[in-house]
Amino acid sequence: MATKKQPPATGVAPSPSHINTNQKVEALETFRADATNQALTTNQGVKIADNQNTLRAGERGPSLLEDFIMREKITHFDHERIPERIVHARGSAAHGVFKVYESQAELTKAAFLQDPSKETPVYVRFSTVQGSRGSADTVRDVRGFAVKFYTEEGNFDLVGNNMPVFFIQDAIKFPDFVHAVKPEPHNEMPQGASAHDTFWDFVSLVPESAHMVLWTMSDRAIPRSLRTMEGFGIHTFRFVNAQGKGRFVKFHWRPTIGSASLLWDEAQKLAGKDSDFHRRDLWEAIDNGDYPEWELGVQIVEEEDEHKFDFDLLDPTKIIPEELVPLKMIGKLTLNRNPDNFFAETEQVAFCPGHIVPGLDFTNDPLLQGRLFSYTDTQISRLGGPNFHEIPINRPLAPLHNGQRDAMHRQTIDKGQASYEPNSIDGGWPKETAPAAAGGGFESYTERVEGSKIRVRSPSFKDHYSQATLFWNSMTDPEKDHIVGAYSFELSKVERKPIRERQLGILANIDETLAARVAENLGLPAPKKNADADELGKSSVTESPALSIIAKAKPSVKTRKVAILAAPGADAASIKAAQDALKAEGAHAKVISPTLGSPAQGIEADATILGMPSIMFDGVIVAGGKDSAKTLSESGDARHFVLEAFKHLKAIGAIGDGEDVLAAAHLPSGEEGVAVGSDAKTVLKSFIEAMSKHRVWSRAQKAESVPA
Ligand code: HDE
């Protein structure tokens, strides 16, 4: 009989103390296939001599069933698709690292938040919510912001969104909400859009959605780039330190390049002209070495302060205003590597809010509690069984051993005879690690709970409007205009008048001016506040500048994209000057011409005017040169290019004769953010300054008269 391993006297083998990115790369290496210099084979490893012709009886004869090569290939192809995610089907992801700034031992014992010299590998997936896998990137929607940390103590998934609140307070309403927002069941329309009856029917009947719907009607729902989005864990979580002390925590991600959004007209056009706009931007930024970065911020609330707010910390439709609890930045996330294979990594990655590590814990937020069940459950049908944790992108780097066995697609070849615990046959292994001193296992935070078994909503969840009012009051004027525009657009697409009227009632409870402005656009009477005092609630904070993207924008042109418009005969010196000046500031220039080819000596066009319209850029510079200016002035497409940039409040520059093109497009002259002149240096300086503010907001009213 074979000798059995003997257990050591105490404890279990410790986890590896240092896991780094290279280890994740190496771990994936085992599964990565590189076909360079390799023969084409079947899945059984048999070399294929002819991949062009099915085996047949005679040159013009029938195909033979015997052809195992053709059958294997077609069979595999027939089963290529897996079910897309029910929500968040459209996504893009990247690898990266997370580093904590300094030990957070006082707050949490989580190993990945202790040592600033440690790098924890991460995989981050961004997504839209409503649309199917092939839907457009720039639709008005919430964005998912899901981070998988491969920590030395196991995987921690922070599965958040780019907005800090949610539509509903209880998980049991999620299927209702999703059915309402998805394309309507009878005709599967519209795709990736909330501008339809079922969505507005539901939210107008469910006032707890008022705050979140306001966020989705704001600029947050049409980000300029995935790299300029903030992220939020939404729910209140718990940090637990080594002494067992627990504190409430809210998680925030802040992009280091600042936040920025599209305009609605741009977003709609981009959905048609480049439906991969966000995916491409993320991919290219990482390819260019412009690694996207976010700081991780936490808001900490001591347990004894749980009830000191005018909202419930467990209510996911509420934020903790930064005026009440400031953000503390504790670390940085950097995305530095594009995936090798979309399906293997981005499609198969499986997030779950229940994937946590020692030092973290949940709260009783009823939305979070439901999520803890849903994600694992959905992966079982999406990824074909309970072994999805073995798919390379989902495998933890921490060692894993347990008695779970078999099921579809099992990869691990478990050794030993005992798949149960306790056992004496395999020496008792693997063993549980309690008490913590024996091995640092996960122990749930001890929380006192008492009460009757009831289906009720806590009265502390009743206020549905006061924080929506806070959000509205914290917006700058252009942001308020966009919100009015968004409600008006969406509700104008709702066919049933009672739904429009009911939603106006909700708006009046948020702010009567907001309701009146939208009502006017809908040709309906403006309603007055109609909720009772409990529902209206009261926020101790009346304005929070941190909620506005424009109010806290940091001037920068880093990684922004500029079109240099040039036709044959363009002045090469003006193009080079623009390229150099932009490069020095970390911006990227592309030469755009009516055709591909060379518009000036030594300069190649990167794209055509129709191939890369101005909506794909943050600013436009028209190159100098008489012939170039003449061609562009006579081209309707070129004139539209600059006019559209003007309409979208972008910085515009024209060097030398380039100014003629602006005149030909009938651009109002002497406008803020439009720099013209013969001295390239001066033009570029004011152009860069204007673009650093992202948009020229003061132009908004004038831009309205420019046709879209
Ligand atoms: Fe999700 N959600 N969700 N969700 N969610 C899914 O899980 C669910 C909620 C979020 O990139 C699904 O793997 C329920 C809030 C992200 O793969 C599913 C409830 C927040 C992603 C699911 C919520 C999110 C998902 C679909 C209410 C922000 C994409 C596929 C109780 C904090 C993750 C999947 C990725 C995906 C359920 C509410 C974020 C069906 C039941 C709140 C970022 O399990």
Side-chain angles (χ1 to χ4, degrees), residues 227 288 290 556-564 578-590 617-619 621 687-688 691-692:
R227 301 178 292 123
N288 288 335
D290 288 334
S556 162
V557 298
K558 251 181 135 211
T559 81
R560 296 239 158 103
K561 291 175 184 147
V562 179
I564 304 177
Q579 286 172 327
D580 293 347
L582 292 166
K583 195 169 173 200
E585 297 290 331
H588 298 291
K590 284 210 189 296
F617 296 96
D618 298 290
I621 292 172
F687 171 84
I688 286 171
M691 194 172 69
S692 75

Side-chain angles (χ1 to χ4, degrees), residues 198-221:
T198 56
F199 173 76
W200 289 100
D201 186 31
F202 179 80
V203 296
S204 64
L205 290 167
V206 179
E208 72 203 53
S209 67
H211 188 195
M212 177 64 165
V213 173
L214 184 56
W215 279 79
T216 60
M217 293 302 115
S218 80
D219 293 349
R220 302 272 179 160

Side-chain angles (χ1 to χ4, degrees), residues 85-88 125-127 144-146 159-161 166 168 170-171 174 232-235 349-351 366-368 370-371 374-375 378-379 382:
R85 289 167 174 83
I86 293 163
V87 279
H88 297 265
R125 184 174 182 272
F126 304 103
S127 45
F145 192 131
V159 198
N161 280 346
F166 203 64
I168 46 170
D170 189 310
F174 193 63
F232 304 89
I234 302 187
H235 315 282
V349 67
F351 293 94
L367 195 68
L368 174 60
R371 294 180 73 203
S374 171
Y375 289 66
T378 204
Q379 311 307 351
R382 196 170 72 81

Side-chain angles (χ1 to χ4, degrees), residues 389-407:
H389 64 282
E390 293 191 325
I391 296 172
I393 195 67
N394 295 325
R395 281 175 186 254
L397 285 171
L400 82 96
H401 303 284
N402 56 45
Q404 294 170 34
R405 289 293 182 273
D406 308 345

